[in-house]
Amino acid sequence: MTSHKTTQTMKPATAAKKLGVYLEATPAEFQEGVVTRSELNALQAEPPQWLQELRRNGPHPRPVVASKLGVSIAGLARGGVTEALTTEQIDALKQEDPEWLQKERATQAEVRKEAVRIKEKNAEKAEKTQRLQQSDS
């Protein structure tokens, strides 16, 4: 009995997400087709001109916009940013530094600090548990 290896494919939206680009800004042939795992790997290894251009100038999807601004996706929404933004628009926002952006950056910094604190606390707990287990054996 021979087994056939099926080619793994994904929707263009999934591929765009994995590539970190805004689907609506990709070429029509990318949006209309399916993308195989090997095609995705090839796009990541050697990005064509359109992909390099999109990554450099946008428009960028919200996760990328949020990352470039140093805020969460929810923070973007609270700030009224619901659309994809270009690099130029992101840079302009950074220059403008509106109050909502300052507030969301501070919130994000607190979230990161808390995540580090929890991680350290859990590491200490795990270390203590390990020491106890070693002393019991």
Side-chain angles (χ1 to χ4, degrees):
M1 193 163 93
T2 58
S3 68
H4 296 292
K5 189 170 187 210
T6 56
T7 305
Q8 201 179 8
T9 60
M10 61 193 85
K11 293 177 183 167
T14 305
K17 190 179 274 188
K18 288 180 182 287
L19 292 169
V21 295
Y22 186 56
L23 178 63
E24 284 75 13
T26 61
E29 60 269 14
F30 180 86
Q31 292 181 39
E32 293 160 8
V34 291
V35 181
T36 65
R37 174 67 59 195
S38 57
E39 286 170 338
L40 179 72
N41 291 342
L43 285 169
Q44 288 173 321
E46 290 183 36
Q49 190 61 45
W50 65 263
L51 183 53
Q52 291 176 33
E53 193 64 30
L54 265 182
R55 285 178 169 169
R56 192 176 314 115
N57 301 315
H60 303 287
R62 284 183 321 192
V64 174
V65 173
S67 173
K68 286 178 180 277
L69 290 174
V71 300
S72 66
I73 294 173
L76 276 184
R78 286 190 292 271
V81 178
T82 56
E83 298 298 311
L85 298 181
T86 62
T87 300
E88 198 175 307
Q89 291 169 312
I90 292 168
D91 290 343
L93 250 180
K94 285 179 179 175
Q95 284 291 301
E96 199 180 296
D97 200 20
E99 194 176 322
W100 72 264
L101 183 57
Q102 294 173 29
K103 188 176 161 203
E104 290 301 335
R105 282 181 165 166
T107 300
Q108 194 66 7
E110 286 301 315
V111 167
R112 285 192 194 107
K113 223 188 299 182
E114 181 63 5
V116 167
R117 187 189 70 75
I118 290 169
K119 190 176 179 183
E120 287 170 353
K121 186 179 173 187
N122 289 342
E124 281 174 28
K125 253 189 207 166
E127 205 175 288
K128 202 179 263 184
T129 304
Q130 198 175 21
R131 278 199 306 266
L132 284 172
Q133 287 172 344
Q134 287 172 346
S135 66
D136 286 349
S137 47

